[in-house]
Amino acid sequence: MNKKIAVIPIIIIVIVFAINFSSDSNVEKSNNVFHITLADPNLYTNGVYFDEFAISKGEYSFSFVPNGSSPKILSIKLNGDSFDFSEDFKLEGTSHQTGISEYYTWNYNGERNILIPEEQEILISINPNGNVMGSVSVDILEN
């Protein structure tokens, strides 16, 4: 009997954790309107990645997952019926010192926020400026 009483709280904790994890990942997915991980030279056509996606009216921002081998300059263009955007994002490493080591975090600097005036199809081009071997993930998130 005591074993059953001890198992019930564990089951409840597991269920609560599963529900919270599931709802967090649904929220994350719901505001992502575009995602690509560029880690394969075959994704590029003549050194540039192209794609098309639908987007609604609203405020959006870019999010990146770069690393030390990511392109030093990542040129992104968005073109739609009533919207044009172009930015050269520059990779910047920040050194962090610990008592026993040094490591870097990476980030792209540039204008990340965009305002879409109406629902439309957007053509995105991502140019790594010759560095098709460096990996980077690019997301456009609804704010």
Side-chain angles (χ1 to χ4, degrees):
M1 186 74 167
N2 287 340
K3 289 182 183 180
K4 288 182 182 179
I5 293 173
V7 170
I8 291 174
I10 293 171
I11 292 172
I12 291 172
I13 290 170
V14 169
I15 290 171
V16 168
F17 177 76
I19 290 170
N20 284 337
F21 181 75
S22 174
S23 65
D24 286 346
S25 47
N26 286 339
V27 168
E28 187 175 307
K29 289 179 187 175
S30 68
N31 71 347
N32 191 332
V33 297
F34 175 81
H35 170 79
I36 184 66
T37 298
L38 296 169
D40 180 356
N42 294 322
L43 294 171
Y44 298 96
T45 302
N46 295 324
V48 179
Y49 172 82
F50 294 97
D51 199 359
E52 200 167 8
F53 61 95
I55 196 166
S56 299
K57 177 182 178 178
E59 296 179 22
Y60 298 85
S61 60
F62 286 96
S63 177
F64 302 98
V65 181
N67 61 56
S69 69
S70 294
K72 301 301 178 221
I73 297 177
L74 195 64
S75 302
I76 298 180
K77 293 181 182 178
L78 303 173
N79 299 104
D81 290 338
S82 63
F83 182 77
D84 287 313
F85 173 88
S86 179
E87 183 72 21
D88 293 328
F89 292 96
K90 294 173 181 56
L91 185 66
E92 182 178 291
T94 302
S95 172
H96 301 275
Q97 302 284 333
T98 68
I100 57 171
S101 68
E102 175 184 20
Y103 67 94
Y104 285 83
T105 55
W106 300 93
N107 197 12
Y108 277 106
N109 292 326
E111 180 55 52
R112 291 175 176 253
N113 298 317
I114 54 178
L115 180 62
I116 304 295
E118 63 187 23
E119 184 174 332
Q120 58 194 293
E121 287 289 317
I122 295 288
L123 174 65
I124 186 170
S125 66
I126 303 173
N127 184 344
N129 297 288
N131 185 358
V132 297
M133 297 301 289
S135 65
V136 62
S137 290
V138 178
D139 292 281
I140 299 177
L141 308 170
E142 185 174 21
N143 292 343

